Amino acid sequence: MTTSATSQPLFLYSTTVSDVGTVRSNNQDSAFAGEHLIAICDGMGGHAGGDTASTIAIRSLAHIEQDNEQGDVKTVAHMMETSVMAAHDAIVGKAKRERRLAGMGTTVTAVALVSGYWVLAHIGDSRAYLLHDGHLIRMTSDHSYVQHLLDTGRINESEARNHPQRNVVMRVLGDFDIDPRPDIAVRKAHPADRWLLCSDGLCGVLEDSTLQEMLATCSDQEECAQRLVSMALRAGSTDNVTAVIADATLALNADAFDLPHQTPLVAGAASASLEPIADIINAPVATAPLLREGKQSPAARAAALRHGRNPDETDNEPQPEQRVAQPSTVREETGDRTNPDTGEIPVVQKNDGRVSADPNDPEVARAIRNEQIQQRKTKRAHSKRNRIIGIVVTILVLLGLAGAAVGTYRWSQTKYYLGDDNGSVTIFQGVPTSIFGLKLSHAVSDTGMKTSELPPSWQEQLMQGISFDSYGEAKNHTTLIKKQLKQQQAENKKSGGGSSPSASSSASPSSSASASSSSSSSPRGGDKS
């Protein structure tokens, strides 16, 4: 029996290329290309700040490479959101501890493949493009000032490309008083889907039509990434340039073949220290391939001259080899203990040169105890990490609730209503309700009318509160109520019915309010006295 394509698992192959460019002195971009996660982070904030911020963000996201293997879409989506916000907290905390890093920040655009779905997290102006069935779809919207101008129709696409404030971002992770929550999107994954994640050093100079042609015609991932970065530099990009390419592949017969595997690649600033990322995902990671023509291109030679370097000497510099970092468990085995390990019983070389694996040997027993102690330390470290993550998530939830409460209170204070205050008809600021025991209104003006003077139907409405959008409207409607009340009392006297407040009335305060909706309102607080 054959299995339908939709039920067969999808696997992710990815690569990344990043280049410092021809103007900047250091690379502040960071990228991750794995089997389950791809990410691009474009740092900002000076020589040290930008690369630090983008590295922190990559490290905060890296655990998803391992943790989403058995996860579901909802769990991974929540995991990505909390990981981005945790990166924000880490960046802010480090900036506070090291004032030289004040003002640093980073964009984050990340995609995870889980259970046949793409989960996308995005904040900032880096971009994610999806090539599906030969059509290029831009999956992210820039959180930038220029994008705001585009969305509001103030400028067009051609004006946006050369706008003097095109690099101003309105939402980003960092040491700023802005919302750090990323946009989260979920989309069904299909075989042959191809992703491009890139910093604005690439998409800021290349047209979408160029991106589509290159992604559709160049099947080799690394070659495609190399060409895109080179094209951006030749087009005059003055920023760091980074591209991540990822393809979804269908395993036609997962039982007959080994499952696809690749070593995750790290590019840009985060590649300067691979070991922490290897520890986070508990697997080897490697540096991404360098731009092949980076040092020989005309633009790079011109940049070398501007910085006072000899371009011919730069061309002859040897290219660094790809570096692979192992997780700490492997590093300890290869570094601290040269002999092979047989599992729970280590092999120990004794002082007399003999090799022993006898657990009754005192030296072997000591090695076993040391290994058990180390394992307990590692286990405690993992437990502590999980507790910290739980605490961080709890704090973020509480902060979210507190933020919602503050927002609700601020909104309520833009409203007014007529109500009863100890027997007097009073204008209140706010809304006639409370949240968690906190009243969202307070009295601001006594109208001079007694509630008992009003007919019962009017009193009932006052008890519920008659809402208005401004203080002026509430004041005007108070005047109308007084006028209608006097007219009713006069009519009652003519008919001999007296001025009893219990007399029925066909009018009400709310009908008075609607009758005066066309009247002008005084400015807020204009009549407070």
Side-chain angles (χ1 to χ4, degrees), residues 26-197:
N26 71 323
N27 195 346
Q28 300 186 42
D29 289 355
S30 290
F32 182 93
E35 295 180 296
H36 306 282
L37 173 75
I38 54 174
I40 170 73
C41 301
D42 183 354
M44 61 198 71
H47 181 83
D51 52 10
T52 300
S54 66
T55 299
I56 289 174
I58 289 292
R59 291 180 182 177
S60 184
L61 288 163
H63 72 99
I64 297 171
E65 169 72 9
Q66 179 188 40
D67 291 346
N68 81 340
E69 292 184 25
Q70 303 299 326
D72 59 81
V73 175
K74 185 176 180 181
T75 300
V76 173
H78 179 70
M79 191 185 302
M80 293 184 76
E81 181 178 13
T82 55
S83 297
V84 171
M85 296 178 71
H88 169 77
D89 293 342
I91 292 170
V92 172
K94 190 169 184 64
K96 288 182 178 179
R97 292 190 300 271
E98 302 181 39
R99 296 313 303 169
R100 66 186 181 88
L101 301 176
M104 69 174 175
T106 183
T107 69
V108 174
T109 302
V111 177
L113 175 61
V114 52
S115 301
Y117 284 87
W118 301 117
V119 181
L120 168 66
H122 169 70
I123 185 169
D125 63 350
S126 297
R127 290 183 183 177
Y129 292 89
L130 176 63
L131 185 71
H132 177 70
D133 288 340
H135 300 288
L136 188 68
I137 307 168
R138 181 174 159 188
M139 298 295 294
T140 56
S141 178
D142 296 344
H143 298 142
S144 65
Y145 178 64
V146 166
Q147 186 63 49
H148 170 71
L149 296 178
L150 279 169
D151 294 341
T152 55
R154 300 180 187 178
I155 60 174
N156 56 37
E157 290 287 351
S158 60
E159 292 172 326
R161 187 166 293 278
N162 299 308
H163 197 280
Q165 294 175 298
R166 60 187 178 276
N167 295 323
V168 177
V169 290
M170 300 179 70
R171 285 177 59 197
V172 70
L173 291 190
D175 189 20
F176 316 106
D177 186 20
I178 52 180
D179 185 2
R181 288 173 296 182
D183 295 341
I184 301 292
V186 176
R187 181 187 176 95
K188 180 67 177 176
H190 297 90
D193 278 354
R194 167 168 279 195
W195 285 92
L196 165 65
L197 308 188

Side-chain angles (χ1 to χ4, degrees), residues 185-217:
V186 176
R187 181 187 176 95
K188 180 67 177 176
H190 297 90
D193 278 354
R194 167 168 279 195
W195 285 92
L196 165 65
L197 308 188
C198 59
S199 58
D200 64 341
L202 191 148
C203 58
V205 296
L206 297 182
E207 298 287 347
D208 286 2
S209 57
T210 303
L211 301 180
Q212 176 169 329
E213 180 182 2
M214 184 58 60
L215 291 170
T217 58

Side-chain angles (χ1 to χ4, degrees), residues 468 473 476-478 480 509-521:
F468 304 97
E473 289 182 8
N476 289 342
H477 296 321
T478 300
L480 288 175
S510 58
S511 63
S512 302
S514 60
S516 64
S517 59
S518 60
S519 63
S520 61
S521 301

Side-chain angles (χ1 to χ4, degrees), residues 108-397:
V108 174
T109 302
V111 177
L113 175 61
V114 52
S115 301
Y117 284 87
W118 301 117
V119 181
L120 168 66
H122 169 70
I123 185 169
D125 63 350
S126 297
R127 290 183 183 177
Y129 292 89
L130 176 63
L131 185 71
H132 177 70
D133 288 340
H135 300 288
L136 188 68
I137 307 168
R138 181 174 159 188
M139 298 295 294
T140 56
S141 178
D142 296 344
H143 298 142
S144 65
Y145 178 64
V146 166
Q147 186 63 49
H148 170 71
L149 296 178
L150 279 169
D151 294 341
T152 55
R154 300 180 187 178
I155 60 174
N156 56 37
E157 290 287 351
S158 60
E159 292 172 326
R161 187 166 293 278
N162 299 308
H163 197 280
Q165 294 175 298
R166 60 187 178 276
N167 295 323
V168 177
V169 290
M170 300 179 70
R171 285 177 59 197
V172 70
L173 291 190
D175 189 20
F176 316 106
D177 186 20
I178 52 180
D179 185 2
R181 288 173 296 182
D183 295 341
I184 301 292
V186 176
R187 181 187 176 95
K188 180 67 177 176
H190 297 90
D193 278 354
R194 167 168 279 195
W195 285 92
L196 165 65
L197 308 188
C198 59
S199 58
D200 64 341
L202 191 148
C203 58
V205 296
L206 297 182
E207 298 287 347
D208 286 2
S209 57
T210 303
L211 301 180
Q212 176 169 329
E213 180 182 2
M214 184 58 60
L215 291 170
T217 58
C218 185
S219 59
D220 184 272
Q221 286 184 333
E222 183 179 338
E223 183 63 25
C224 184
Q226 291 277 352
R227 290 186 185 181
L228 285 172
V229 173
S230 297
M231 291 168 65
L233 293 174
R234 288 197 298 269
S237 178
T238 60
D239 203 349
N240 309 140
V241 184
T242 302
V244 181
I245 305 291
D247 294 324
T249 301
L250 184 66
L252 297 178
N253 192 338
D255 295 328
F257 302 98
D258 291 336
L259 295 179
H261 176 74
Q262 72 168 72
T263 300
L265 301 176
V266 182
S271 66
S273 180
L274 295 178
E275 286 75 10
I277 299 178
D279 288 344
I280 291 169
I281 68 174
N282 195 31
V285 295
T287 53
L290 297 176
L291 181 65
R292 287 194 293 266
E293 66 172 49
K295 295 186 177 182
Q296 288 77 25
S297 66
R301 294 174 63 85
L305 290 172
R306 285 198 301 271
H307 288 92
R309 301 191 300 269
N310 186 336
D312 296 324
E313 293 178 358
T314 302
D315 288 347
N316 295 326
E317 290 180 2
Q319 295 281 349
E321 296 181 358
Q322 185 181 44
R323 189 168 71 89
V324 178
Q326 300 289 342
S328 59
T329 52
V330 178
R331 296 199 304 272
E332 290 171 3
E333 292 175 359
T334 57
D336 296 340
R337 188 177 296 140
T338 57
N339 291 316
D341 199 323
T342 59
E344 295 183 358
I345 303 176
V347 177
V348 173
Q349 186 172 15
K350 299 175 65 64
N351 293 332
D352 59 4
R354 293 186 298 108
V355 174
S356 174
D358 182 2
N360 295 314
D361 187 296
E363 293 182 35
V364 175
R366 185 164 54 252
I368 293 174
R369 287 195 301 272
N370 291 340
E371 189 165 73
Q372 291 173 342
I373 291 172
Q374 186 60 40
Q375 289 175 349
R376 286 195 293 269
K377 287 182 179 178
T378 302
K379 186 176 181 179
R380 285 197 297 269
H382 286 310
S383 299
K384 182 178 179 181
R385 174 189 167 195
N386 291 336
R387 287 197 300 270
I388 291 174
I389 292 175
I391 292 171
V392 169
V393 171
T394 301
I395 291 174
L396 291 174
V397 171

Side-chain angles (χ1 to χ4, degrees), residues 1-19:
M1 182 177 67
T2 59
T3 305
S4 63
T6 56
S7 64
Q8 293 174 339
L10 289 173
F11 298 96
L12 188 66
Y13 289 97
S14 62
T15 191
T16 178
V17 173
S18 182
D19 191 75

